[in-house]
Amino acid sequence: MATVANFSANRITTVIQRPTSAVASTSSFVFFDPKPNSLILKQRWVKNPSKRSFSAVKVKAGAASPGKVGTPAVNDEKVQKIHSGEEFDEALKKAKNKLVVVEFATSKSDQSNKIYPFMVELSRACNDVDFLLVMGDESEKTKELCRREKIEKVPHFSFYKSMEKIHEEEGIGPDQLMGDVLYYGDSHSAVVQLHGRADVEKLIDENRTGGKLIVLDVGLKHCGPCVKVYPTVLKLSRSMSETVVFARMNGDENDSCMEFLKDMNVIEVPTFLFIRNGDICGRYVGSGKGELIGEILRYSGVRVTY
């Protein structure tokens, strides 16, 4: 189990390492005394952010490979090739608060050649994400950039927002890459993005009548299990939209989020809070897809037999 220690509501500096065990399902942090599952609702609701659906990404045969940087293929025109540290810094600056996904690769890396076509397809599907490619063996300038960014193995993926590195991965496959892109760049799905306690109270207030169950996915920015389960949350948010409202909060986004996690007695992540009529009626802790679906059905009123 991945662990997180010494979290503070005033300052959050801990970096969470991705669990190496295939059975790891939660990350833990303990920083408060348990409190009852209750919510105080005083805020008025504001209109939900706009939502757009995300289609599953499929890689087509014959897609480009990163080794052909000198002559970009027609299919990968949305992936920006970076040739120096100056170009890299300018691309991050230009992206502003958009998610930027950077692949550091080499022309002789089989893994780089295998994962790159999938990144190309993601670049087509995710119009609100910028994708960059740095070939570490292209020139002295790209070698220097890799040294500056402390890249030791390829393929290496770094994720940036507002010129700040928020996550990085090494040697991952297509499923993990898509999960990371969805988790760190999601601003267009049917999952409501919450940024503090006030947002939670407003969401609950809007759904106080109508009988819908609210499923609140609580995680942390660098939590591996949180990333792992999020594609399932996205799929469920579309298929169960008539009966369930899905929302997400990263506890380490700001002080308000961290205080909310304390009040709700969230000790491990991912934690899913099930809320109906303003009250927390249950919770599920973990990243098991089958277990999560079963719990959502149970709290939606569907009889589940285990």
Side-chain angles (χ1 to χ4, degrees):
M1 185 189 310
T3 60
V4 184
N6 299 324
F7 262 84
S8 168
N10 296 322
R11 186 179 181 184
I12 301 169
T13 58
T14 304
V15 176
I16 305 167
Q17 299 297 323
R18 180 171 299 283
T20 56
S21 172
V23 300
S25 61
T26 63
S27 298
S28 301
F29 55 101
V30 181
F31 48 21
F32 58 88
D33 295 327
K35 295 183 179 181
N37 294 338
S38 62
L39 290 172
I40 301 174
L41 307 176
K42 297 180 180 178
Q43 302 286 344
R44 295 179 59 190
W45 172 248
V46 295
K47 188 176 180 181
N48 283 346
S50 59
K51 307 177 182 69
R52 291 182 285 117
S53 61
F54 182 89
S55 301
V57 177
K58 296 182 179 180
V59 179
K60 297 180 180 179
S65 67
K68 300 178 181 179
V69 174
T71 55
V74 176
N75 289 343
D76 65 349
E77 69 278 357
K78 295 195 70 174
V79 178
Q80 181 181 350
K81 314 304 186 300
I82 298 297
H83 308 289
S84 68
E86 292 78 13
E87 286 187 9
F88 182 80
D89 294 339
E90 181 61 28
L92 294 185
K93 183 179 180 180
K94 184 178 179 181
K96 297 181 179 180
N97 63 345
K98 291 174 62 177
L99 177 68
V100 180
V101 179
V102 186
E103 180 188 359
F104 293 89
T106 62
S107 59
K108 297 180 180 180
S109 168
D110 290 337
Q111 282 187 296
S112 296
N113 290 331
K114 289 177 181 178
I115 193 68
Y116 181 70
F118 194 82
M119 188 175 81
V120 170
E121 295 300 321
L122 279 175
S123 72
R124 294 175 176 178
C126 304
N127 293 322
D128 56 348
V129 179
D130 287 349
F131 291 83
L132 311 181
L133 173 66
V134 178
M135 296 299 295
D137 56 352
E138 179 188 74
S139 67
E140 286 302 320
K141 288 186 177 181
T142 57
K143 289 179 182 178
E144 175 58 33
L145 176 57
C146 288
R147 286 192 291 268
R148 191 191 83 177
E149 297 300 311
K150 297 180 172 58
I151 307 301
E152 298 180 352
K153 297 180 181 179
V154 294
H156 182 110
F157 288 89
S158 295
F159 299 76
Y160 292 82
K161 271 190 177 180
S162 302
M163 300 189 70
E164 177 186 358
K165 184 187 292 184
I166 59 173
H167 185 63
E168 57 186 347
E169 297 268 17
E170 284 184 353
I172 59 175
D175 290 344
Q176 186 62 57
L177 176 59
M178 184 174 72
D180 286 342
V181 171
L182 291 174
Y183 189 79
Y184 293 106
D186 183 30
S187 60
H188 53 267
S189 72
V191 180
V192 182
Q193 308 299 310
L194 305 177
H195 307 286
R197 184 184 183 87
D199 288 348
V200 179
E201 293 173 347
K202 292 173 183 177
L203 177 65
I204 293 173
D205 189 52
E206 185 186 62
N207 292 278
R208 186 176 290 279
T209 59
K212 283 191 175 183
L213 175 71
I214 296 175
V215 177
L216 174 52
D217 175 7
V218 181
L220 297 172
K221 290 180 182 177
H222 303 282
C223 165
C226 301
V227 176
K228 173 187 173 183
V229 75
Y230 192 62
T232 298
V233 175
L234 285 174
K235 293 177 182 178
L236 293 174
S237 71
R238 294 193 293 270
S239 63
M240 304 182 73
S241 60
E242 294 185 1
T243 58
V244 181
V245 176
F246 287 83
R248 179 178 71 153
M249 172 187 287
N250 280 326
D252 51 350
E253 180 174 339
N254 55 49
D255 291 349
S256 177
C257 292
M258 187 58 71
E259 287 297 330
F260 177 78
L261 266 63
K262 288 182 182 181
D263 292 342
M264 295 300 104
N265 190 22
V266 175
I267 300 176
E268 296 179 325
V269 292
T271 287
F272 293 86
L273 301 177
F274 305 111
I275 305 168
R276 191 186 295 278
N277 300 325
D279 296 321
I280 296 180
C281 54
R283 65 178 62 202
Y284 167 70
V285 181
S287 59
K289 298 177 182 179
E291 292 89 346
L292 174 61
I293 294 172
E295 290 298 285
I296 293 174
L297 290 175
R298 183 159 72 93
Y299 286 104
S300 295
V302 178
R303 185 176 181 179
V304 178
T305 302
Y306 293 99

